[in-house]
Amino acid sequence: MNEQIKKDIKIIRPKSEYATNSNILRVAAYCRVSTDSEDQASSFINQISYYTDFIRSSDKMELVDIYADEGITGTSINKRDEFKRMMRDCELGKIDRIYVKSIQRFARNSLECLEAVRKLKSYGVGVYFENDRVNTSNMNSEMILYIKSAFAQNEATLHSKRMAASYRMKMESGSFITCSAPYGYSLIENELEIEPYEADIVKRIFEMYLSGKGFNTIASILNKEGIQTKGKRWTNATVIYVLTNEKYIGDSMLQKTFTTNALPFSKKTNRGERDKYYVQNSHPAIIDRDTFNTVQKRIVERKNNKMQSREKQHIFSGMIECSECGWHYKRKIQNGVVYWVCSQSGYAGFVCDGSNLRENDIKSAFIIAYNRLRENEHEIIDATISQLCKAREKMISNNSDIGQIDAEIARLCEQNAIYIKFKNQGIMDEVSFREYSTEIQDRLTTLRSRRMKLLSSDTEYNCIDELNNVKDNLNEFPKTILAFDDKIFEAIVKKIIAKNDHSIDFVLKGGIRLNIKMNEVMTK
């Protein structure tokens, strides 16, 4: 008989940061406060005091934290940092219950509200809305929560429409007050007043443009002098903004942007969807009208000239990519020699270490690359196609995602048909049907989108197809070339990558790369 071994048992106590007393309810409060004209009872300090006293008054509750998002909209959860921190703490198991003053404080978007409540419920966390007397720990209250949050969403939408109508009436009467001041102005008591130093910079920008300097050159000059706009460097976009802004002649174009009517609210550029209102002499001018109109005419002329020049683009335009910064190269003529240089270098004062390439050297490098490709055509193209075909066959045989998606789509369609039947028979009410049906439709949309992506993202197939086209094109061209040929280049090359080791990659259609050292070109 084996001698019985005495077991030595040690008790490992939980760490204090995770230790909990099952009799104590770990409680948090969520407040969404605003800096506008809300009553004092809704202020952050008062809410902290209220929830602190309320929770401490019970020996069965322990205050974990108070989370508050200040001065922002409640129509989207993604904009609320404190809300997201609270959700993370719930996921980590730090909270048992959350107190909120009302559903409107929690969310004004019913779908996001319901999604958050369900997620909290999966963490074992209940939410109690005091004014609404809704406790999400009770499963029956979820439908009440949905209805109330839908009302809150509708109220937010109506409020947005009322504000839009109010703004429109003020714009029509010319009494609308701007909420920000452009560079060159200060907003003082709701009136735009000229800022002398910045106004001088604005005048310089107009003078430099009329003297023949371009947007990038003007930005570069201002940046070198250490002049900033709203604390940021000047770019061609900010220079264009100054040169085309009617504010500098004392006028105001109102409703250049508008807010969408549906949740989540977002701001969009007004491209004709809404009325615009042009108010003359709304504030002091910095630039006279003749100068401003001359600049607008010059901008249009230069734009038209560029569009005409683009119609005569060189074969390398948009084809050469810088390996250092990712920008494309542009054509430049210096001392009668044609170069291709990184377009970021010199842009508003920026510097790029991408190497400059002579156009004739690029052409000579392509001649070498083409002849090398034809000499080793079987090893380079045929072998690559064979490897891609094998990889594709293996991928298809191992990929059961499409079949699983099809099965899930069929199951959801059957489930939705059952809900429709229940609704028609009066077994399910309209609100419940809409909730479940919407959830199914969202899931179906996601699945169908994923299915289409899988079917259209067959990279191997696309590469094989492109390489076969390259092979067919090569059969129409000579085995060896002595001079650069535009047609051959266009038929087989997808792009060129200029590398900082004094070499270039010719990326063929289909993905094959041919690297040519520039010193090979120089010795030819």
Side-chain angles (χ1 to χ4, degrees):
M1 186 175 178
N2 295 334
E3 184 179 351
Q4 189 173 4
I5 301 174
K6 185 179 180 180
K7 297 179 180 179
D8 184 13
I9 300 174
K10 294 182 179 179
I11 299 176
I12 303 175
R13 302 291 182 186
K15 295 180 180 180
S16 58
E17 59 182 309
Y18 297 110
T20 61
N21 185 336
S22 59
N23 295 323
I24 301 295
L25 199 64
R26 297 169 300 169
V27 177
Y30 177 72
C31 317
R32 183 172 58 79
V33 297
S34 177
T35 55
D36 59 16
S37 57
E38 294 194 9
D39 58 275
Q40 192 66 21
S42 298
S43 69
F44 184 33
I45 296 175
N46 284 355
Q47 287 187 59
I48 289 177
S49 177
Y50 167 74
Y51 282 117
T52 302
D53 294 341
F54 170 72
I55 294 169
R56 286 180 179 173
S57 66
S58 172
D59 55 1
K60 292 185 178 180
M61 291 193 295
E62 176 185 274
L63 179 62
V64 177
D65 203 347
I66 294 179
Y67 306 83
D69 287 301
E70 183 176 0
I72 56 175
T73 177
T75 55
S76 176
I77 287 175
N78 290 331
K79 298 179 181 178
R80 295 189 271 169
D81 294 332
E82 281 290 276
F83 187 94
K84 290 187 282 187
R85 184 172 72 88
M86 179 184 70
M87 295 296 287
R88 287 195 299 269
D89 287 348
C90 289
E91 187 177 5
L92 294 172
K94 297 180 179 180
I95 300 170
D96 299 317
R97 179 182 293 176
I98 299 169
Y99 279 92
V100 187
K101 185 177 180 183
S102 65
I103 293 175
Q104 287 90 336
R105 295 290 178 190
F106 192 70
R108 292 182 184 173
N109 184 323
S110 58
L111 293 179
E112 285 187 343
C113 177
L114 199 57
E115 182 183 347
V117 166
R118 285 174 174 167
K119 189 175 289 186
L120 289 169
K121 191 175 293 183
S122 71
Y123 301 151
V125 180
V127 184
Y128 184 77
F129 300 96
E130 293 184 276
N131 292 356
D132 306 285
R133 297 183 180 178
V134 174
N135 186 355
T136 64
S137 298
N138 181 356
M139 291 297 292
N140 295 329
S141 67
E142 186 171 282
M143 190 54 61
I144 299 173
L145 173 68
Y146 179 80
I147 295 171
K148 285 179 175 286
S149 59
F151 278 123
Q153 174 175 326
N154 183 58
E155 177 59 29
T157 304
L158 290 175
H159 176 70
S160 175
K161 289 181 178 179
R162 287 193 295 267
M163 292 297 294
S166 173
Y167 289 156
R168 186 171 60 252
M169 291 174 65
K170 290 179 179 179
M171 290 176 186
E172 290 174 351
S173 65
S175 60
F176 182 79
I177 299 172
T178 184
C179 58
S180 61
Y183 186 83
Y185 289 97
S186 295
L187 190 62
I188 301 175
E189 295 182 356
N190 296 325
E191 295 287 344
L192 288 178
E193 294 189 9
I194 294 176
E195 187 71 37
Y197 172 76
E198 293 181 356
D200 288 341
I201 303 300
V202 171
K203 291 176 183 177
R204 276 190 63 199
I205 291 173
F206 276 83
E207 290 169 0
M208 285 191 285
Y209 186 77
L210 289 176
S211 70
K213 293 181 174 60
F215 305 136
N216 291 337
T217 302
I218 295 171
S220 179
I221 291 171
L222 296 175
N223 288 332
K224 286 179 181 178
E225 294 179 7
I227 299 169
Q228 293 187 328
T229 169
K230 306 298 182 183
K232 297 180 180 179
R233 290 171 59 88
W234 288 86
T235 64
N236 66 334
T238 50
V239 171
I240 293 172
Y241 170 81
V242 169
L243 291 171
T244 58
N245 194 339
E246 79 290 340
K247 288 284 197 303
Y248 296 112
I249 55 173
D251 297 348
S252 295
M253 175 72 80
L254 304 179
Q255 200 159 248
K256 291 180 180 179
T257 62
F258 67 95
T259 302
T260 56
N261 293 329
L263 286 170
F265 301 128
S266 60
K267 184 175 286 188
K268 291 188 176 182
T269 301
N270 187 358
R271 305 186 189 279
E273 298 90 341
R274 300 284 191 277
D275 291 335
K276 291 182 180 179
Y277 305 89
Y278 195 89
V279 182
Q280 287 190 325
N281 303 317
S282 58
H283 55 274
I286 295 176
I287 303 297
D288 65 84
R289 294 183 184 273
D290 289 341
T291 300
F292 185 82
N293 292 333
T294 302
V295 167
Q296 307 318 300
K297 185 178 179 181
R298 187 76 58 84
I299 289 173
V300 173
E301 289 174 352
R302 289 187 179 182
K303 184 178 180 180
N304 291 336
N305 291 336
K306 282 187 178 180
M307 290 178 66
Q308 291 175 3
S309 65
R310 283 174 183 172
E311 295 176 359
K312 303 175 182 179
Q313 278 188 336
H314 192 274
I315 191 171
F316 293 148
S317 297
M319 292 287 288
I320 308 174
E321 185 180 295
C322 179
S323 64
E324 287 292 294
C325 65
W327 284 45
H328 285 103
Y329 272 43
K330 63 181 179 181
R331 202 164 187 255
K332 182 178 180 180
I333 301 176
Q334 186 173 352
N335 298 327
V337 180
V338 181
Y339 290 91
W340 286 85
V341 300
C342 179
S343 57
Q344 189 189 42
S345 186
Y347 169 80
F350 289 100
V351 177
C352 177
D353 294 329
S355 56
N356 298 343
L357 302 172
R358 291 196 303 179
E359 187 170 281
N360 287 337
D361 289 347
I362 299 173
K363 292 180 177 180
S364 298
F366 176 72
I367 295 170
I368 296 172
Y370 176 82
N371 292 335
R372 194 170 292 171
L373 173 67
R374 298 307 303 269
E375 185 180 348
N376 303 281
E377 189 172 333
H378 176 72
E379 291 82 358
I380 295 175
I381 297 181
D382 292 343
T384 302
I385 292 175
S386 177
Q387 290 176 2
L388 288 171
C389 287
K390 290 178 182 178
R392 185 169 184 268
E393 289 173 4
K394 185 176 180 181
M395 184 270 295
I396 293 173
S397 63
N398 294 335
N399 190 353
S400 59
D401 285 352
I402 293 177
Q404 292 176 359
I405 289 172
D406 289 341
E408 179 67 7
I409 288 175
R411 186 189 69 79
L412 289 171
C413 288
E414 289 177 4
Q415 189 175 348
N416 197 48
I418 293 172
Y419 289 147
I420 293 173
K421 183 178 178 182
F422 284 171
K423 173 180 169 290
N424 293 336
Q425 293 177 351
I427 299 173
M428 179 180 287
D429 62 87
E430 181 71 29
V431 176
S432 298
F433 170 75
R434 189 179 299 131
E435 176 192 352
Y436 292 120
S437 181
T438 300
E439 188 175 335
I440 287 175
Q441 292 302 324
D442 289 345
R443 178 63 179 154
L444 283 171
T445 301
T446 302
L447 288 170
R448 285 168 181 153
S449 175
R450 186 180 169 198
R451 190 179 192 276
M452 288 296 296
K453 190 174 181 180
L454 285 172
L455 290 173
S456 63
S457 63
D458 193 340
T459 307
E460 287 80 6
Y461 177 81
N462 293 333
C463 289
I464 292 168
D465 188 49
E466 286 187 338
L467 286 173
N468 280 323
N469 287 334
V470 169
K471 274 193 69 175
D472 293 340
N473 289 330
L474 288 175
N475 291 333
E476 301 178 5
F477 301 132
K479 278 283 187 179
T480 305
I481 59 173
L482 299 176
F484 181 82
D485 190 304
D486 287 10
K487 290 183 179 180
I488 296 176
F489 179 84
E490 288 180 331
I492 68 172
V493 176
K494 187 175 184 179
K495 65 179 178 178
I496 300 172
I497 298 178
K499 308 178 80 173
N500 60 359
D501 62 353
H502 301 290
S503 71
I504 59 176
D505 282 349
F506 290 96
V507 183
L508 305 187
K509 295 174 181 178
I512 292 175
R513 292 193 180 203
L514 302 175
N515 180 264
I516 303 296
K517 301 288 185 185
M518 297 312 290
N519 58 6
E520 295 182 63
V521 176
M522 303 300 292
T523 57
K524 295 293 179 180

